[in-house]
Amino acid sequence: MINPFDDNYFMKQAYQEAQKAFALGEVPVGAVVVANNQIIARAHNLTEQLNDVTAHAEILAITAAANYLGAKYLHDCTLYITLEPCSMCAGALHWSQISKVIYGARDEKRGACKIQPSLFHPKTLVTNGIMEKECGELIKEFFKEKR
């Protein structure tokens, strides 16, 4: 039996969030949090709109998911994010105790996996590569237009 709700499906949902950020002039990063094969939170970067350097997609998605669950920990949840989390977001993900993080494109300059992978909770599984090309191209297109 084919499962239509696989990693590709959920990363496409995160990518749609990134496209919303792009349209707003935000760095195009999108995220969804999934529990029991259901999206419980969606977010995209809003640092410019909210004038808040902490309004990264991951942070907003963590908050929305915790509110949905009525709990501060995101056990048995997966975050799909279009770009490798930064150190700030990796720290927030650590504290949320999320079970799994799947990101699309690597962030060669600010990515937590490159800078300090120990920022993630020891029980959090971190993987990448789902829609890596598409996610990376969206980021490159955004910065190309800004320069």
Side-chain angles (χ1 to χ4, degrees):
M1 185 167 105
I2 296 173
N3 179 6
F5 302 109
D6 61 5
D7 290 341
N8 286 311
Y9 171 82
F10 291 119
M11 188 59 78
K12 285 178 186 173
Q13 298 301 306
Y15 187 80
Q16 288 175 1
E17 289 296 318
Q19 290 175 312
K20 291 177 188 177
F22 188 99
L24 292 170
E26 298 278 356
V27 175
V29 178
V32 296
V33 177
V34 175
N36 298 318
N37 244 10
Q38 177 183 346
I39 296 173
I40 62 169
R42 296 174 171 272
H44 53 271
N45 276 3
L46 287 174
T47 59
E48 300 299 324
Q49 300 291 307
L50 298 177
N51 199 30
D52 178 356
V53 296
T54 68
H56 289 197
E58 300 95 313
I59 303 291
L60 299 173
I62 290 168
T63 301
N67 286 336
Y68 177 87
L69 295 172
K72 64 182 178 179
Y73 298 121
L74 302 181
H75 300 140
D76 301 318
C77 292
T78 300
L79 172 78
Y80 292 86
I81 184 79
T82 57
L83 183 66
E84 178 182 351
C86 69
S87 297
M88 174 184 70
C89 293
L93 289 162
H94 174 102
W95 288 107
S96 78
Q97 297 182 20
I98 197 158
S99 297
K100 194 172 185 181
V101 173
I102 300 175
Y103 65 89
R106 291 187 181 275
D107 185 342
E108 296 297 330
K109 293 183 181 177
R110 294 182 181 90
C113 294
K114 181 179 181 178
I115 296 170
Q116 192 173 6
S118 63
L119 286 173
F120 292 96
H121 193 277
K123 292 183 180 178
T124 300
L125 175 63
V126 180
T127 62
N128 72 306
I130 306 294
M131 292 183 59
E132 183 173 9
K133 182 180 177 193
E134 298 91 333
C135 295
E137 286 174 355
L138 187 62
I139 291 284
K140 287 176 187 169
E141 182 181 342
F142 175 81
F143 285 110
K144 184 179 176 183
E145 288 182 13
K146 292 289 182 191
R147 293 185 177 119

